Amino acid sequence: MGHTIRDIASALGAEASGNLDLVVTHAAEPAGAGAGALALAMDPRYAEGLSKGAARAAMLWQGADWQAMGLEAAIFAPRGRLAMAGLSRIFDPGPQIVPGIHPMAIVDPTAEVGEDAAIGPFVTVGAGVRIGPRARIASHVSVAEGARIGADALILQGARIGARVTIGDRFICHPGAVIGADGFSFVTPEKSGVEEIRETLGERAEIRQQSWVRIHSLGSVSIADDVEIGANSTIDRGTIRDTSIGAGTKLDNLVHVGHNVQVGRDCLLCGQVGIAGSSRIGDRVVLGGQVGVSDNIFVGDDVVAGGATKIRTNAPAGRVLLGDPAVKMETQIEIQKAMRRLPRLAATVAALQKAVSLKGQSD
């Protein structure tokens, strides 16, 4: 379905010029844009591509001379990526989930399904579940007993929502995510080698046989409003209290949040992040891909950790971290510079050793 330039600009709160009744059906990169596309050139670097495509309208940077580019209309985006967020929302048709409860879904008689909800085929909804109005649940999702799902949720194919999980409004869950599996928590009848190593930082009195006793997870998972969970991510239930995810937080694909973890508001956890049990993550924390957080530590508000950083101790608020173990980013950069100099330093030391040796022989 097409949209006029006027409607798009109004929805984005942006200025527009030219033929505002021109209709576009999709967005495209400038060089590949056809006549029905809205070309995206929000930065002057991409303007050259407009001459290679056939777009009649484009989204441009503020002050761009759209007429000189041969366009019939233009929308001006003061902040390109923010405009992209609104534009992608306009053109995204979303998943096709037929309203109502599909005849091949299994919904327990005690479950409550809100008004205008859509539940796809092969979905199972357990006893006592409450699903909010306008929620959409795609095929092969399972929602276990006692779970609560808020209004306007979107849960995609194959996701698993565990028992007594509580989820807020406008939740988005991508395929294959598992929310509310048991935590990975075990103990030995006597002090284990792991406990001994933690206490002694590496020393073990003896190596002996040991077996693991499972600690069951009696808590669940609490997720606030406007949270998004990526494909194949996992959030474990708490041992006694709930594992919790704060409002507005977004998890990428393949993120693991361990038992009892508390994640604050408006955090970004990128792909393959792992947070070990009972750690606390503050508000607005950004963890790059493959960041690891050790158990039982605190990461303060507004911390940013670069990719593959390993946070092993408490991190104060506002700190920018990088490396393994995590240090201030500027410190890690100096460490990397020093490491690159090591071969030259080794050669210099070898030459000095040789010179000293020859001098000793001559003496």
Side-chain angles (χ1 to χ4, degrees), residues 5 17-20 22 35 54-58 66-67 69-74:
I5 297 299
S17 297
N19 180 9
L20 303 188
L22 182 66
R56 301 163 63 193
W66 59 278
Q67 291 171 309
M69 299 175 189
L71 298 169
E72 297 179 32

Side-chain angles (χ1 to χ4, degrees), residues 291-312:
V291 166
V293 180
S294 293
D295 61 295
N296 291 283
I297 66 170
F298 175 65
V299 177
D301 294 346
D302 302 296
V303 165
V304 176
T309 295
K310 303 298 179 262
I311 305 175
R312 303 179 190 277

Side-chain angles (χ1 to χ4, degrees), residues 108 110-114 125-133 135 137 142-155 160-171 173 179-180 220-225 237 242:
D108 189 275
T110 62
E112 299 176 20
V113 179
V125 178
V129 168
R130 289 213 310 258
I131 296 173
I137 301 179
S142 65
V143 183
E145 63 275 10
R148 303 286 184 268
I149 298 171
D152 300 297
L154 173 61
I155 302 177
R160 303 286 182 255
I161 310 299
R164 303 179 304 283
V165 167
T166 301
I167 295 172
D169 297 338
R170 297 172 298 279
F171 174 67
C173 184
I179 302 170
S220 192
V221 176
S222 296
I223 296 177
D225 296 340
R237 63 195 325 113
D242 287 358

Side-chain angles (χ1 to χ4, degrees), residues 234-236 243-245 251 255-259 261 263 269 273 275:
T234 56
I235 304 174
D236 289 349
T243 302
S244 64
I245 307 293
L251 274 64
V255 170
H256 176 63
V257 178
H259 63 278
V261 168
V263 179
L269 309 184
V273 161
I275 303 176

Side-chain angles (χ1 to χ4, degrees), residues 140-337:
H140 297 279
V141 170
S142 65
V143 183
E145 63 275 10
R148 303 286 184 268
I149 298 171
D152 300 297
L154 173 61
I155 302 177
L156 294 172
Q157 292 83 356
R160 303 286 182 255
I161 310 299
R164 303 179 304 283
V165 167
T166 301
I167 295 172
D169 297 338
R170 297 172 298 279
F171 174 67
I172 297 175
C173 184
H174 291 277
V178 178
I179 302 170
D182 268 12
F184 191 71
S185 192
F186 298 87
V187 66
T188 52
E190 299 177 352
K191 183 182 290 186
S192 70
V194 173
E195 292 174 277
E196 189 176 356
I197 288 168
R198 275 185 173 234
E199 292 176 357
T200 63
L201 299 180
E203 296 293 329
R204 296 180 68 174
E206 61 176 322
I207 296 176
R208 54 190 177 277
Q209 289 187 343
Q210 58 184 33
S211 58
W212 299 101
V213 179
R214 188 170 187 268
I215 299 175
H216 291 249
S217 297
L218 304 181
S220 192
V221 176
S222 296
I223 296 177
D225 296 340
D226 300 302
V227 170
E228 184 163 346
I229 306 297
N232 294 323
S233 289
T234 56
I235 304 174
D236 289 349
R237 63 195 325 113
T239 305
I240 301 297
R241 58 177 168 80
D242 287 358
T243 302
S244 64
I245 307 293
T249 286
K250 319 297 183 186
L251 274 64
D252 195 2
N253 302 337
L254 296 169
V255 170
H256 176 63
V257 178
H259 63 278
N260 301 336
V261 168
Q262 296 174 275
V263 179
R265 300 172 58 92
D266 295 313
C267 296
L268 282 182
L269 309 184
C270 300
Q272 296 185 333
V273 161
I275 303 176
S278 300
S279 284
R280 292 184 296 129
I281 309 297
D283 296 336
R284 300 172 302 279
V285 170
V286 178
L287 303 181
Q290 294 188 331
V291 166
V293 180
S294 293
D295 61 295
N296 291 283
I297 66 170
F298 175 65
V299 177
D301 294 346
D302 302 296
V303 165
V304 176
T309 295
K310 303 298 179 262
I311 305 175
R312 303 179 190 277
T313 58
N314 293 339
R319 186 65 54 87
V320 181
L321 301 172
L322 189 65
D324 179 10
V327 293
K328 290 182 180 180
M329 180 174 284
E330 58 268 29
T331 302
Q332 182 61 29
I333 290 171
E334 290 303 313
I335 291 171
Q336 292 298 324
K337 289 179 181 178

